[in-house]
């Protein structure tokens, strides 16, 4: 147990975020607590509260970090000076989705609970980065799919980002969900985030 009486030790936000992620990889959002993060870092709860007021605020920081990584990848596609054929472009975009498994997990499973207990300020920052991601994807479409007009590009962007919100649930069903689908005779294809993204983009582009 952490000794609450000991001197408060400042902890880097990055360490708190990384520890929260490591817990979230093994247990559910509900089971991740400030106390468990403290125990992993061997610090008092007050040390965490110097940086984050709630567990949910830590998860918003993770969302921002993840969406910024996605933005960097899309910016890389925009800066690429070579050419991509249709298959290569779809593959590149699908790869950027595959790399954001953590982001899609949080969005698919726990976003409502996180937003409910987070500050307006932190959520606005996340939404700003999310909006940037949508614009970057639109710019990628403009660069690599020149046959698509601006109105259609906007429709594709919105459809794609709505689709990604449920991607994690489709790619990673629970054992119980698989059993229910089997008993209900609903085919389960077991496709990855990459395959699902590629398939969807191929249908709408």
């Amino acid at each position: 147990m952490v000794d609450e009486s000991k001197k408060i030790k400042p902890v880097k936000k990055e360490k708190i975020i990384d520890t929260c992620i490591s817990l979230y990889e093994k247990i559910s959002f509900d089971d991740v607590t400030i106390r468990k993060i403290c125990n992993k870092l061997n610090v008092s709860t007050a040390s965490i509260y110097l940086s984050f007021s709630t567990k949910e605020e830590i998860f918003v920081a993770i969302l921002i970090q993840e969406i910024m990584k996605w933005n960097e990848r899309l910016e890389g596609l925009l800066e690429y000076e070579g050419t991509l054929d249709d298959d290569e472009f779809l593959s590149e975009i699908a790869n950027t989705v595959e790399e954001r498994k953590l982001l899609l997990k949080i969005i698919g499973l726990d976003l409502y609970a996180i937003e409910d207990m987070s500050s307006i300020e932190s959520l606005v920052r996340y939404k700003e980065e999310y909006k940037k991601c949508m614009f970057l994807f639109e710019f990628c479409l403009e660069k690599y799919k020149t046959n698509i007009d601006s109105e259609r590009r906007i429709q594709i962007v919105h459809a794609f980002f709505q689709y990604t919100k449920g991607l994690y649930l489709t790619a990673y069903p629970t054992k119980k969900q698989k059993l229910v689908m089997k008993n209900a005779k609903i085919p389960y294809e077991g496709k990855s985030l990459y395959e699902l993204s590629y398939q969807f983009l191929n249908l709408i582009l």
Side-chain angles (χ1 to χ4, degrees):
M1 296 293 292
V2 175
D3 181 1
E4 295 289 349
S5 65
K6 67 184 176 182
K7 185 178 179 180
I8 298 173
K9 297 189 300 184
V11 184
K12 288 185 178 180
K13 286 187 176 183
E14 292 79 8
K15 289 192 69 174
I16 297 172
I17 289 170
D18 289 345
T19 302
C20 186
I21 291 172
S22 70
L23 286 169
Y24 189 59
E25 288 173 347
K26 301 177 180 68
I27 59 179
S28 70
F29 170 77
D30 289 337
D31 290 334
V32 175
T33 64
I34 293 289
R35 170 66 60 191
K36 288 177 181 177
I37 294 171
C38 290
N39 288 343
K40 291 270 285 184
L41 291 171
N42 193 31
V43 297
S44 67
T45 55
S47 296
I48 303 297
Y49 290 134
L50 288 174
S51 298
F52 298 101
S53 58
T54 65
K55 170 186 77 174
E56 288 78 10
E57 291 284 347
I58 302 174
F59 274 89
V60 175
I62 295 170
L63 285 168
I64 293 169
Q65 177 176 280
E66 285 294 303
I67 204 77
M68 288 177 71
K69 289 178 181 178
W70 198 355
N71 289 344
E72 287 175 6
R73 286 283 280 112
L74 293 175
E75 286 169 346
L77 279 176
L78 288 172
E79 293 168 2
Y80 178 60
E81 295 181 355
T83 60
L84 297 174
D85 61 27
D86 287 348
D87 181 70
E88 289 171 332
F89 175 66
L90 294 183
S91 183
E92 285 292 334
I93 296 296
N95 273 323
T96 72
V97 176
E98 178 79 29
E99 293 163 4
R100 301 276 70 81
K101 177 182 174 181
L102 175 59
L103 173 71
L104 298 176
K105 178 183 178 182
I106 297 173
I107 289 175
L109 298 180
D110 303 302
L111 186 58
Y112 281 178
I114 291 166
E115 290 184 334
D116 192 46
M117 296 297 292
S118 298
S119 69
I120 295 294
E121 291 77 14
S122 61
L123 291 173
V124 166
R125 188 178 171 212
Y126 162 61
K127 295 297 184 181
E128 287 173 344
E129 289 295 334
Y130 192 87
K131 179 178 69 174
K132 180 179 178 181
C133 192
M134 295 177 73
F135 278 124
L136 288 170
F137 178 56
E138 182 184 352
F139 297 152
C140 285
L141 288 174
E142 184 178 11
K143 177 176 180 177
Y144 293 106
K145 302 291 289 183
T146 56
N147 59 315
I148 300 175
D149 63 39
S150 60
E151 183 178 352
R152 178 62 179 156
R153 280 199 305 270
I154 293 172
Q155 292 174 342
I156 291 169
V157 169
H158 285 278
F160 179 63
F161 278 84
Q162 284 297 322
Y163 178 73
T164 60
K165 290 178 180 179
L167 263 182
Y168 184 87
L169 295 169
T170 304
Y172 297 97
T174 64
K175 290 181 180 179
K176 186 174 184 179
Q177 288 170 333
K178 289 180 182 178
L179 178 61
V180 170
M181 285 189 284
K182 181 180 178 181
N183 290 346
K185 296 181 172 55
I186 298 173
Y188 170 62
E189 297 179 321
K191 291 185 176 179
S192 66
L193 292 172
Y194 173 91
E195 292 168 325
L196 290 167
S197 302
Y198 187 100
Q199 175 181 277
F200 182 77
L201 288 167
N202 196 38
L203 285 171
I204 65 173
L205 291 178

